[in-house]
Amino acid sequence: MVEIDSLLHSGYHHPAQRPWQAERTLTKSALMYPIFVTHEQDSLTPIPSMPNQCRVGVNRLEEVVGPLVAKGLQSVMLFGVPDDFVKDAFGTAADDPNGPVIQATRLLKSKFPGLLVACDVCLCEYTSHGHCGHLYPDNTIDNEASVRRLAEVAVNYAKAGADCVAPSDMMDGRMRAIKQGLIDAGVSHRVSLMAYSAKFASALYGPFRDAACSGAQFGDRSAYQLPPPSRGLARRAIERDVREGADMIMVKPAGFYMDIIRDAKELAPNHPIAAYQVSGEYATIHHAAAAGVYELKPAVLESMTGLLRAGCNIVITYFTPELLVWLS
Ligand code: PBG
Ligand code: ZN
């Protein structure tokens, strides 16, 4: 005999009951689509390491983004891919008014005024050494100088029309500096700050670094991105960024760090939590599906379900174009 207190099946026997078991359900509004904007204004170039993704020139953005907006896309995150020769030790080109990010921001805000445009804020795409900040002569990070420069860049993206700035550099104290910069520039009421709070030094960023040409020329990012085993540092970083004025908290990568997503939801219960399903996760799922491990669609949907169950409200994913179709 099965005892009364053993019975679970009755709660999900009918298919209509199954979604009731979810705390959060995937909607189009949860999706943010990362886009690589190249300085080659007319080009639309497939990225070999990232199936179905392209580097998009400013003059090709409308044809890429327009159909997605028509399907319900609500937000994008922009990454710049500048010309090699503009790179210097300080990342001077990051906020070049004629550079890809500022040009793309202006264009998207004029063509699609309702679309939320977030700009990733970092220096690694623009520095000759490929690190995310400024360096001392001994090649360690000059945190103070880095934070000053990152705040300048974030404010310039905001002035160009960005609705959200998202610093991914992992310097200490940059949220406060950026928030203060937004206040001083008179844009703090209309520009939000998405904190890459728990960003780990992951093996999963490789395809992105190919796409953005942003690999470090020497050393690695382990002295500023978080050590993958560190739950405590992640929790401290989340709490710190809440104190420093972040509007949204992000965990990155997503799938290997679902415990951290749950921690973020618990530590910042009053903030939206974002999970970034990064380039290596995207490529892995694609290649596994191509190798017959599973069907792409159910696997992608399950990966989303897992992230939402862990506690996030926003998913930043390269699968956004497919998901907009599947959710229609
Ligand atoms: C730049 C940045 C990276 C990613 C987002 N912003 C790469 C890195 O830190 O090396 C990774 C995103 C992805 O892999 O999809 N700091
Ligand atoms: Zn960086």
Side-chain angles (χ1 to χ4, degrees):
M1 253 315 267
V2 182
E3 299 297 328
I4 280 184
D5 59 2
S6 307
L7 298 178
L8 299 181
H9 287 180
S10 52
Y12 57 99
H13 176 78
H14 193 285
Q17 292 173 303
R18 291 170 200 160
W20 298 348
Q21 305 293 342
E23 267 177 70
R24 277 167 289 275
T25 311
L26 185 63
T27 56
K28 293 179 181 182
S29 60
L31 301 170
M32 183 178 271
Y33 185 42
I35 301 176
F36 297 94
V37 187
T38 166
H39 69 95
E40 294 165 22
Q41 304 203 330
D42 296 318
S43 87
L44 188 59
T45 314
I47 300 167
S49 57
M50 300 181 67
N52 301 344
Q53 303 299 315
C54 285
R55 293 193 199 98
V56 188
V58 169
N59 297 338
R60 308 301 292 274
L61 260 180
E62 192 176 357
E63 74 192 71
V64 170
V65 175
L68 299 175
V69 169
K71 289 178 195 134
L73 179 69
Q74 311 256 4
S75 66
V76 295
M77 165 101 81
L78 303 181
F79 293 92
V81 188
D83 206 342
D84 253 351
F85 80 84
V86 304
K87 300 191 182 196
D88 64 18
F90 310 107
T92 304
D95 51 0
D96 176 357
N98 297 312
V101 171
I102 287 186
Q103 288 295 316
T105 300
R106 289 189 195 289
L107 180 120
L108 289 175
K109 288 309 294 181
S110 76
K111 300 285 180 192
F112 311 104
L115 182 71
L116 182 146
V117 174
C119 294
D120 180 89
V121 177
C122 201
L123 300 182
C124 56
E125 293 100 327
Y126 306 95
T127 50
S128 41
H129 44 71
H131 280 283
C132 301
H134 290 186
L135 302 177
Y136 285 122
D138 68 355
N139 288 337
T140 56
I141 287 281
D142 180 345
N143 190 79
E144 291 297 310
S146 303
V147 165
R148 251 181 278 127
R149 176 70 188 128
L150 287 156
E152 243 171 49
V153 171
V155 167
N156 285 329
Y157 291 167
K159 285 181 175 167
D163 303 293
C164 173
V165 288
S168 64
D169 52 282
M170 294 303 282
M171 299 304 131
D172 282 330
R174 80 253 205 232
M175 298 308 158
R176 193 189 307 280
I178 292 173
K179 199 61 160 182
Q180 190 61 55
L182 296 173
I183 293 168
D184 296 344
V187 294
S188 61
H189 60 294
R190 66 157 184 89
V191 182
S192 61
L193 180 53
M194 177 181 272
Y196 280 78
S197 298
K199 175 176 178 180
F200 291 86
S202 174
L204 297 168
Y205 306 147
F208 174 99
R209 290 175 190 165
D210 283 348
C213 311
S214 64
Q217 298 302 306
F218 50 81
D220 59 27
R221 308 203 202 292
S222 321
Y224 42 104
Q225 298 181 352
L226 301 179
S230 70
R231 182 178 178 204
L233 278 170
R235 292 172 62 92
R236 289 169 62 197
I238 290 162
E239 291 183 317
R240 177 195 64 188
D241 291 353
V242 166
R243 283 196 305 272
E244 289 189 12
D247 295 288
M248 288 85 75
I249 297 291
M250 193 206 297
V251 175
K252 171 185 175 194
F256 290 174
Y257 295 89
M258 298 217 291
D259 56 327
I260 308 296
I261 296 173
R262 172 56 57 90
D263 277 355
K265 193 70 211 168
E266 284 171 10
L267 292 167
N270 304 317
H271 284 62
I273 306 298
Y276 195 146
Q277 184 178 58
V278 301
S279 57
E281 299 178 85
Y282 172 78
T284 301
I285 293 172
H286 255 293
H287 294 311
V293 175
Y294 43 54
E295 296 279 329
L296 186 70
K297 179 177 171 181
V300 171
L301 288 170
E302 191 172 338
S303 75
M304 295 297 131
T305 301
L307 300 178
L308 291 171
R309 192 189 59 243
C312 72
N313 313 90
I314 305 163
V315 186
I316 303 162
T317 176
Y318 303 97
F319 285 116
T320 296
E322 285 87 347
L323 286 162
L324 291 172
V325 173
W326 294 336
L327 293 170
S328 288

